Amino acid sequence: GAGVSQSPSNKVTEKGKDVELRCDPISGHTALYWYRQSLGQGLEFLIYFQGNSAPDKSGLPSDRFSAERTGGSVSTLTIQRTQQEDSAVYLCASTLSGGAGDTQYFGPGTRLTVL
Amino acid sequence: GIQVEQSPPDLILQEGANSTLRCNFSDSVNNLQWFHQNPWGQLINLFYIPSGTKQNGRLSATTVATERYSLLYISSSQTTDSGVYFCAVWANNLFFGTGTRLTVIP
């Protein structure tokens, strides 16, 4: 596709429910990142996939958060037993090769609201 | 982790004015990037600038890695420049600053 896409654009859920957020990176990009942006804040790194390597999960805030990337393309971020503090915009980015100098292309984000 | 601080946190400009945004970081980094997040939330990469100076139209950026800071210059500001400007430094992943919220008024 022309850019990084994410779905859904908005998600409202009740506390305790599980949610899945999807990211479709730019075709051919080997690296994919998930970030979280709370209201009025900067971006918080969550997880990083690079090719077939084991993902860097160092930013995941708790074991309720997990992510996978199937076939080196689409990624799904799953939040189990959602809490109100999980409310934020979840952003996905992809880069061509994952190097430090690669331009990150961001998707439009998924706004998650936990009631 | 690396600390990334940006100043000022908020900035209001009259259209046509110039401005300088600053990014300080706490440790040596491999690179630094500047992003613009528009009022609809879309993030766009502006510069990849580990050192030196780059220019792109009305925007330019300078990074002095040895002194751990970077500056983003906006000249002849336009209302479309409004949004939040983030710097981010790479240390195994990108660490973002808290941003400068710019409002350009006509």
Side-chain angles (χ1 to χ4, degrees):
Chain A
V4 178
S5 60
Q6 293 185 244
S7 61
S9 55
N10 281 285
K11 177 71 176 179
V12 180
T13 191
E14 293 179 346
K15 177 181 174 180
K17 295 284 180 67
D18 298 351
V19 295
E20 285 189 353
L21 313 179
R22 178 186 169 105
C23 172
D24 284 86
I26 292 174
S27 178
H29 279 195
T30 63
L32 186 148
Y33 303 76
W34 282 99
Y35 297 91
R36 177 169 70 174
Q37 185 175 29
S38 301
L39 186 63
Q41 301 296 312
L43 275 71
E44 174 190 10
F45 165 77
L46 296 178
I47 188 169
Y48 161 46
F49 295 89
Q50 170 58 58
N52 296 320
S53 302
D56 176 354
K57 304 179 182 180
S58 60
L60 295 179
S62 78
D63 58 8
R64 297 186 295 105
F65 288 72
S66 63
E68 62 178 21
R69 189 179 185 194
T70 54
S73 180
V74 171
S75 177
T76 302
L77 177 69
T78 301
I79 309 173
Q80 296 179 309
R81 304 181 302 282
T82 52
Q83 304 294 312
Q84 288 183 333
E85 60 262 29
D86 299 334
S87 296
V89 176
Y90 289 81
L91 291 156
C92 172
S94 71
T95 71
L96 186 60
S97 64
D102 266 8
T103 297
Q104 297 222 344
Y105 295 88
F106 281 84
T110 293
R111 181 175 299 278
L112 175 66
T113 303
V114 182
L115 302 177
Chain B
I2 289 182
Q3 304 300 310
V4 184
E5 296 180 352
Q6 292 186 242
S7 59
D10 292 279
L11 184 60
I12 299 175
L13 295 177
Q14 196 77 42
E15 195 169 28
N18 304 325
S19 65
T20 301
L21 282 58
R22 186 176 180 102
C23 173
N24 293 329
F25 42 96
S26 62
D27 207 345
S28 299
V29 297
N30 290 333
N31 78 48
L32 184 141
Q33 300 185 32
W34 282 96
F35 294 86
H36 175 229
Q37 187 170 39
N38 68 23
W40 297 271
Q42 182 65 51
L43 269 160
I44 302 294
N45 182 280
L46 297 175
F47 292 102
Y48 158 63
I49 182 159
S51 63
T53 298
K54 288 187 177 179
Q55 181 153 7
N56 184 2
R58 296 181 296 103
L59 303 181
S60 65
T62 295
T63 297
V64 183
T66 54
E67 297 186 22
R68 300 179 184 171
Y69 74 88
S70 183
L71 302 174
L72 178 70
Y73 305 95
I74 303 174
S75 64
S76 304
S77 59
Q78 300 177 359
T79 55
T80 52
D81 296 332
S82 295
V84 183
Y85 290 80
F86 291 102
C87 66
V89 299
W90 179 271
N92 298 320
N93 59 71
L94 273 183
F95 289 87
F96 281 78
T98 52
T100 291
R101 181 173 298 277
L102 174 65
T103 303
V104 180
I105 54 177

